[in-house]
Amino acid sequence: MTINILMPALSPTMTEGNIVKWHVKEGDEVNSGDLMAEIETDKATMELEAVDEGIVGKIIHGDGAENVAINTVIAVLLEEGEGKGDIDASTEAPVEQVAPVAQAAPTPQVAVAQTAPISSDPDLTGVETEMVTVREALRDAMAEEMRREENVFLMGEEVAQYQGAYKVSQGLLDEFGDKRVIDTPITEYGFTGLGVGAAFAGLKPIVEFMTFNFSMQAIDHVINSAAKTRYMSGGQIACSIVFRGPNGAASRVGAQHSQNYAPWYSNVPGLIVVAPYSAADAKGMLKSAIRNPNPVVFLENELLYGETGEVPVGDDHLIPLGKARICREGSDVTIVAYSIAVGFALKAAEQLAGEGISAEVIDLRTLRPLDMDTVIASVAKTNRVVVVEEGWPQCSISSEISARLMEEAFDHLDAPVTRVTDADVPMPYAENLEKLALINPEMVVTAVKAVMYKE
Amino acid sequence: MRKSISFEINHLQYLDESAKPANDLPEFAKDTDKLVELYDRMQFLRAMDKRAVGLQRIGKMRTYPAALGQEAVGIGAGLALKDTDVLVPYYRGTGMMLSHGIKPHEILLYWGGDERGADYKDPIAAQDFPVAVPIATQILHAAGVATAIKLRGEKRAVMTEIGEGGTSEGEFYEALNVAGVWNLPFVCIVNNNQWAISVPSENQTKAESYAQKAIAAGMDTLQVDGNDIIAVHDASVKAMEKARNGGGPTLIEAICYRLCDHTTADDASRYHDQKVHDKAWEVEPVKRLEDYLKSLGVLDDKAIEAMAKDNKANVEKEVEMYFDILNNQPQPPEAMFDYLYAEVPEKTKPQREEAIRRGAK
């Protein structure tokens, strides 16, 4: 049987790449370990080596092929005794047979890529927009605010020379120089405390955590220093600072790198906590966060960085902090979510619409302060709520929403508030277990039907 | 009376850059069989790393941190552990792990995204820790294990490893401080491969060495040529022996060069200086020992080629074992609940049942 060579996934979140150059041509014999091709992504150029022996039967995507999706067949190897005639049948073979790579494609990523369009975003009505990725939206927000105010600077690991571990700070070093885009030594506690000190002294730091998992080493400065010093100094010492970076599960990065810190930080008085979903919110809310006179924890999501969305053109797009957004209107049930879970909620709502259930989807956007007015107004209309959260269930944003609805909207409810959360376990590294631990749109659909008393 | 304090950092090298003895060799290095064994193990590690990176490129491995150019550090130091000693490795510690009985396929399984890879089957390795991926946490854990050994009055020692970048973390200093003041049986290897992802050493510290960071903790400390496995092994054996005998902790800064990317998700060619990189290939550790053994007439190209062939075949066997577990023995859904607490809590049982039901679909 011929062997399909697939577009490799160089990193856990890569979705596509370019073929720079083939080092073999059709008819060449290759052995395990031979260099076959150079593959390029936005982050890296990598060598693809042969794993099996064979003869290069066909190169399907040649030198310079761009934006080739991972798992696409890029070439076919012939084994002994096979000829070109064997090729067509095998390239059409089911992916499972030939592609262990397919297993590496992260489930949540697939779901997010199919996110239903946001049907009515009041923030975008009547304004000229352009399509940008969440990654670019965040970068643009920082660049615009750094142009606007000299006191704003970015600091963290790999933010300058490397352009960000997830390429969020692309171009900032070139434009603003190394005094305002600063690579630090590996010291999360160190640069967080230092950033807080600089904020006390009147600068406006943006502190990037490579991921929020690393912020645990620095959490004393976020909570005890940044959040409390204004209070403890009788209002004398302000701390205008943004702590930002990817939060939540990415894809196949194991227990210590897959955690949602939204519940942790939103527990703390003195902090503002933001977790946008769309590209427009990522930009507009990061700009607001940088201008805000208080410490803001700004939670991004690695799996959303590559997602594209409409963002207003120009440098004055501000989204107020503390205001939720109804991103799909409906009348039968309210689905409340934030960050990546909004995508699952929207997808579930789309499927439910096909089954005659009209779901309203609310993106909380800001987690502290919580915009309960928007949630309650929706519940007054639908009388049923499902809260969706990519994170653990206990003492979570979803448990907070549930409690607040009990206190403030009990009489509106026709069914118990129901939650969809990850399993109550550290994130498994193994693919099959990670899939079982994470939420997905089907679970949202099931929960909605339960609160509708259907099935 | 007040007095001035001064210190000195010694640098140990036995084989110089041209693979010629720079010093009288230690006793073990006069045994050419021992040197061939060291060479063989470095060659295996290099072959395994190469295969693992290749597997990642085709989607059969998750993010993998290779140790290319750092083989002498991992193998040379790791072989200083006795069966009763404890290893607290970090993510680039494959060389040390292999040297203390952790199986290659277990390491592949771990980086292939399966926690069972940290469940070491070898009884000696079973006391060793899973790799630490968070930066510098392992150094305090190692100091904690060393404390336990000291409290129990055992004649054992702990070895741990960290990159030079990781020494900027506060935890590193905190660990050294207790190791010094409590005179712990603790040996910390600093793998100074010059790069912390893209951050070069000159942006990491203004100190002239990483070794001197241990001076303030009152620890013995030295630098070794990390491309010279004889120097790494000699210093490590002596440090571990001293630690076992109540002589206290040691820091060993092994200076080498990261010839590979930080991990498979990185591309060092985008930030390193190609000339410096090429220069580092001239003094890398496998070639260093190879050249020396050739100069003695112990090895020739034919023997080296035969060893390489054997090592490649041995790596293949381990890859097959890895694939067999990964493909044919998936973890059951309940695994994620069963190893979380000593006993599965009552309240978790319905979730566990649900996962089993969903997993069976």
Side-chain angles (χ1 to χ4, degrees):
Chain A
M1 196 181 137
T2 58
I3 299 159
N4 288 347
I5 309 288
L6 306 178
M7 186 68 179
L10 303 182
S11 68
T13 48
M14 169 179 167
T15 53
E16 58 183 31
N18 307 329
I19 295 169
V20 180
K21 187 176 177 352
W22 283 96
H23 289 271
V24 292
K25 57 185 188 303
E26 290 180 9
D28 282 359
E29 191 181 327
V30 293
N31 288 308
S32 163
D34 287 355
L35 175 62
M36 293 194 70
E38 274 172 53
I39 310 285
E40 178 189 63
T41 70
D42 58 336
K43 276 174 83 168
T45 309
M46 303 279 179
E47 293 172 344
L48 174 67
E49 291 176 358
V51 179
D52 302 287
E53 294 173 12
I55 290 164
V56 181
K58 191 174 181 187
I59 289 175
I60 295 166
H61 292 276
D63 291 359
E66 290 189 347
N67 306 326
V68 181
I70 62 163
N71 298 333
T72 306
V73 179
I74 55 175
V76 181
L77 276 192
L78 303 174
E79 290 189 295
E80 214 181 327
E82 289 173 340
K84 283 213 166 197
D86 296 305
I87 290 174
D88 285 343
S90 70
T91 50
E92 286 164 15
V95 173
E96 300 80 51
Q97 280 187 25
V98 290
V101 183
Q103 297 169 8
T107 314
Q109 215 171 349
V110 172
V112 173
Q114 295 165 359
T115 299
I118 294 165
S119 53
S120 61
D121 187 343
D123 299 320
L124 303 181
T125 330
V127 292
E128 191 196 342
T129 62
E130 56 187 338
M131 295 298 283
V132 299
T133 62
V134 170
R135 175 181 281 117
E136 292 160 341
L138 293 165
R139 188 266 321 272
D140 293 348
M142 288 191 281
E144 288 169 16
E145 293 307 302
M146 287 175 78
R147 280 175 213 134
R148 183 174 173 271
E149 193 178 337
E150 191 77 13
N151 281 337
V152 180
F153 71 101
L154 174 67
M155 179 168 60
E157 290 156 354
E158 305 288 343
V159 298
Q161 153 77 32
Y162 202 67
Q163 317 278 317
Y166 298 97
K167 303 295 163 198
V168 173
S169 49
Q170 239 157 4
L172 295 184
L173 176 65
D174 284 348
E175 181 175 351
F176 299 103
D178 60 9
K179 283 201 169 63
R180 294 179 72 198
V181 182
I182 304 167
D183 277 332
T184 66
I186 307 180
T187 164
E188 293 80 15
Y189 189 70
F191 67 71
T192 304
L194 196 142
V196 169
F200 289 162
L203 295 185
K204 293 173 79 69
I206 305 168
V207 170
E208 176 175 308
F209 293 118
M210 193 180 290
T211 83
F212 260 91
N213 299 287
F214 307 173
S215 79
M216 273 196 290
Q217 300 201 309
I219 201 165
D220 184 52
H221 279 304
V222 180
I223 293 177
N224 264 337
S225 307
K228 296 176 186 169
T229 299
R230 184 192 289 271
Y231 170 76
M232 294 180 73
S233 65
Q236 295 303 299
I237 301 176
C239 188
S240 177
I241 188 169
V242 175
F243 305 103
R244 53 155 289 273
N247 174 59
S251 175
R252 304 293 315 284
V253 289
Q256 291 171 322
H257 282 174
S258 309
Q259 303 170 94
N260 178 359
Y261 291 90
W264 295 46
Y265 290 111
S266 73
N267 188 241
V268 182
L271 295 179
I272 292 172
V273 183
V274 177
Y277 167 68
S278 72
D281 285 348
K283 181 173 181 187
M285 297 184 86
L286 183 53
K287 285 167 68 73
S288 294
I290 294 167
R291 294 186 193 188
N292 196 285
N294 302 297
V296 179
V297 174
F298 194 93
L299 304 167
E300 299 156 12
N301 187 294
E302 189 190 329
L303 298 176
L304 296 177
Y305 281 152
E307 296 301 310
T308 304
E310 280 185 75
V311 175
V313 175
D315 60 5
D316 56 356
H317 169 61
L318 289 167
I319 298 289
L321 307 185
K323 191 83 190 79
R325 181 190 61 186
I326 295 170
C327 46
R328 180 185 175 113
E329 287 183 20
S331 53
D332 294 333
V333 60
T334 301
I335 307 175
V336 181
Y338 65 93
S339 189
I340 194 166
V342 174
F344 301 142
L346 287 168
K347 200 171 175 216
E350 190 65 28
Q351 187 186 327
L352 288 161
E355 300 178 38
I357 295 172
S358 165
E360 180 146 297
V361 177
I362 294 177
D363 177 358
L364 290 169
R365 303 198 288 193
T366 302
L367 306 176
R368 185 183 187 94
L370 268 174
D371 179 10
M372 285 306 293
D373 291 349
T374 298
V375 177
I376 291 168
S378 176
V379 176
K381 182 171 69 174
T382 64
N383 310 116
R384 294 160 207 278
V385 189
V386 170
V387 193
V388 189
E389 180 167 25
E390 191 282 288
W392 292 316
Q394 183 159 329
C395 300
S396 59
I397 301 298
S398 56
S399 55
E400 175 67 15
I401 297 277
S402 306
R404 297 279 289 274
L405 287 172
M406 182 67 98
E407 290 170 354
E408 300 168 32
F410 183 75
D411 291 336
H412 292 307
L413 291 169
D414 284 350
V417 176
T418 297
R419 299 187 289 152
V420 175
T421 67
D422 292 347
D424 197 14
V425 295
M427 189 61 67
Y429 201 176
E431 190 206 7
N432 61 328
L433 302 189
E434 184 185 67
K435 202 171 165 186
L436 288 169
L438 283 166
I439 57 167
N440 60 45
E442 290 67 44
M443 290 162 75
V444 182
V445 168
T446 305
V448 164
K449 286 178 179 169
V451 300
M452 300 287 297
Y453 300 120
K454 295 195 170 183
E455 290 178 17
Chain B
M1 208 175 87
R2 299 175 74 174
K3 60 173 184 177
S4 299
I5 299 166
S6 61
F7 65 88
E8 191 177 28
I9 302 294
N10 289 319
H11 180 270
L12 185 65
Q13 184 189 53
Y14 288 110
L15 291 182
D16 68 14
E17 283 73 6
S18 55
K20 296 199 171 55
N23 266 311
D24 284 342
L25 295 185
E27 208 48 46
F28 77 84
K30 292 173 186 162
D31 173 1
T32 52
D33 287 349
K34 174 73 179 178
L35 294 184
V36 170
E37 186 207 335
L38 294 177
Y39 175 77
D40 190 34
R41 285 172 177 269
M42 288 199 289
Q43 202 191 49
F44 178 88
L45 172 57
R46 186 165 288 190
M48 173 175 157
D49 270 351
K50 185 174 191 302
R51 187 72 163 101
V53 172
L55 288 173
Q56 193 279 338
R57 298 292 183 250
I58 55 159
K60 295 182 182 179
M61 175 61 59
R62 306 302 304 171
T63 303
Y64 183 84
L68 188 64
Q70 302 143 78
E71 292 87 352
V73 180
I75 304 286
L79 286 176
L81 287 146
K82 288 190 173 173
D83 290 358
T84 47
D85 294 331
V86 181
L87 175 62
V88 184
Y90 84 138
Y91 56 86
R92 212 182 299 285
T94 304
M96 281 191 191
M97 295 167 76
L98 293 174
S99 303
H100 205 224
I102 296 169
K103 302 285 180 250
H105 69 267
E106 292 174 329
I107 298 170
L108 294 173
L109 186 63
Y110 180 80
W111 295 113
D114 191 319
E115 290 84 352
R116 287 174 298 182
D119 178 10
Y120 313 133
K121 298 300 180 210
D122 184 289
I124 291 162
Q127 66 193 327
D128 295 336
F129 279 48
V131 294
V133 176
I135 308 298
T137 55
Q138 74 276 15
I139 310 299
L140 274 167
H141 300 160
V145 175
T147 304
I149 287 172
K150 190 173 182 203
L151 289 178
R152 291 193 194 116
E154 297 165 341
K155 205 181 164 184
R156 304 161 69 196
V158 184
M159 180 178 282
T160 189
E161 187 182 10
I162 189 168
E164 88 287 346
T167 69
S168 297
E169 296 274 20
E171 283 173 275
F172 172 75
Y173 297 96
E174 292 169 37
L176 295 197
N177 187 58
V178 287
V181 75
W182 291 349
N183 201 43
L184 297 177
F186 165 97
V187 174
C188 178
I189 308 293
V190 175
N191 175 358
N192 178 4
N193 66 18
Q194 322 279 340
W195 291 100
I197 309 187
S198 81
V199 177
S201 195
E202 62 262 30
N203 292 352
Q204 198 69 243
T205 184
K206 186 78 175 170
E208 284 176 276
S209 74
Y210 290 92
Q212 74 201 59
K213 292 189 174 195
I215 294 283
M219 283 172 60
D220 287 346
T221 182
L222 78 161
Q223 284 187 318
V224 301
D225 181 345
N227 291 320
D228 172 11
I229 193 166
I230 298 175
V232 177
H233 188 59
D234 183 56
S236 303
V237 166
K238 287 174 179 155
M240 289 295 280
E241 191 56 23
K242 186 186 69 173
R244 280 180 215 111
N245 291 314
T250 307
L251 184 141
I252 299 170
E253 176 192 353
I255 304 165
C256 56
Y257 190 89
R258 199 187 79 204
L259 289 168
C260 52
D261 301 324
H262 168 66
T263 67
T264 48
D266 173 45
D267 177 8
S269 70
R270 299 207 172 184
Y271 51 79
H272 73 196
D273 181 335
Q274 191 59 42
K275 281 189 201 131
V276 176
H277 189 83
D278 292 345
K279 207 92 188 134
W281 268 109
E282 292 171 14
V283 297
E284 58 93 358
V286 178
K287 183 174 176 296
R288 176 90 52 101
L289 186 55
E290 184 177 302
D291 288 350
Y292 178 60
L293 288 169
K294 276 180 167 176
S295 75
L296 295 179
V298 173
L299 289 181
D300 58 14
D301 286 341
K302 206 174 146 199
I304 289 163
E305 211 171 291
M307 283 168 82
K309 204 177 158 202
D310 282 352
N311 276 323
K312 203 174 167 193
N314 289 336
V315 168
E316 261 348 277
K317 277 183 210 152
E318 295 287 336
V319 169
E320 274 166 34
M321 290 166 82
Y322 157 58
F323 279 166
D324 182 50
I325 299 171
L326 196 70
N327 298 330
N328 304 327
Q329 305 166 51
Q331 288 189 72
E334 60 269 30
M336 61 182 167
F337 299 96
D338 291 352
Y339 307 121
L340 186 51
Y341 293 100
E343 284 172 31
V344 179
E346 272 311 310
K347 286 194 177 1
T348 303
K349 284 181 181 166
Q351 266 196 69
R352 183 177 178 276
E353 296 310 311
E354 171 69 10
I356 293 170
R357 194 186 59 76
R358 282 176 56 209
K361 272 194 208 165

